[in-house]
Amino acid sequence: MPTLTHFDAQGQAHMVDVAAKPATHRIAIASGRIDMLPATLELIESGTSKKGDVLGIARIAGIQGAKRTSDLIPLCHPIALTRVAVEFVVVSSNAGKAAHVECTATAETVGPTGVEMEALTAVQVALLTIYDMCKAVDRGMVISDVKLMEKHGGKSGSFVAD
């Protein structure tokens, strides 16, 4: 059975030693969404939000979040990212489904450890930024479905979500 890697033989939390691992090209893709009222989505799409370009600012926030992941997650290694991309798809409400914004973040590096946490953090920070910028008109927004979609590189190989 696999074991948790962030604990030593005595059960104490520690940062995983990656010194002996080879540097390989690593990529991770994460996604998530934020549901909102149709009127909130209209404000985002029209660019008339009192705070400005919501998705543009959320994109920058997501990139910044990926870069700061090791500051937020205690046992995460600081990683020299070679690329971070944050993309949004706006989905108007239809067929009884809530209006929402889908976010996908891609993080890449060449190094001894993966970038899953950076991609996941980018998605969360981007979605939280949308919430922050729109909460004055819609406090009922819901962030959900944040998950790792793919990861490639390293000893464990590739993972692609179902």
Side-chain angles (χ1 to χ4, degrees):
M1 177 173 205
T3 61
L4 298 174
T5 58
H6 286 86
F7 296 95
D8 64 18
Q10 291 75 40
Q12 301 296 310
H14 72 101
M15 183 181 270
V16 176
D17 182 359
V18 297
K21 293 172 72 179
T24 61
H25 179 241
R26 296 161 184 267
I27 183 170
I29 302 168
S31 67
R33 65 185 271 170
I34 183 167
D35 294 336
M36 61 192 64
L37 297 172
T40 307
L41 187 61
E42 287 175 27
L43 281 174
I44 290 171
E45 286 183 297
S46 68
T48 58
S49 168
K50 196 173 181 182
K51 294 184 178 184
D53 177 9
V54 173
L55 297 183
I57 294 167
R59 179 175 292 106
I60 299 300
I63 293 167
Q64 189 175 30
K67 292 166 53 177
R68 304 285 305 269
T69 299
S70 66
D71 292 336
L72 301 169
I73 310 298
L75 301 177
C76 236
H77 292 85
I79 292 179
L81 294 167
T82 57
R83 175 174 175 257
V84 177
V86 177
E87 300 171 5
F88 299 102
V89 174
V90 175
V91 180
S92 301
S93 60
N94 56 20
K97 294 187 176 185
H100 65 273
V101 175
E102 297 171 358
C103 177
T104 302
T106 303
E108 293 186 50
T109 192
V110 175
T113 190
V115 287
E116 298 95 280
M117 295 306 299
E118 287 71 14
L120 288 161
T121 300
V123 168
Q124 290 281 34
V125 171
L127 295 174
L128 285 167
T129 299
I130 293 170
Y131 186 95
D132 180 52
M133 295 186 73
C134 298
K135 69 181 181 274
V137 297
D138 187 357
R139 292 197 188 274
M141 292 176 283
V142 176
I143 294 171
S144 64
D145 299 328
V146 176
K147 59 189 169 197
L148 180 66
M149 300 302 297
E150 295 182 39
K151 81 85 149 169
H152 303 281
K155 181 178 158 186
S156 65
S158 294
F159 164 84
V160 178
D162 297 331

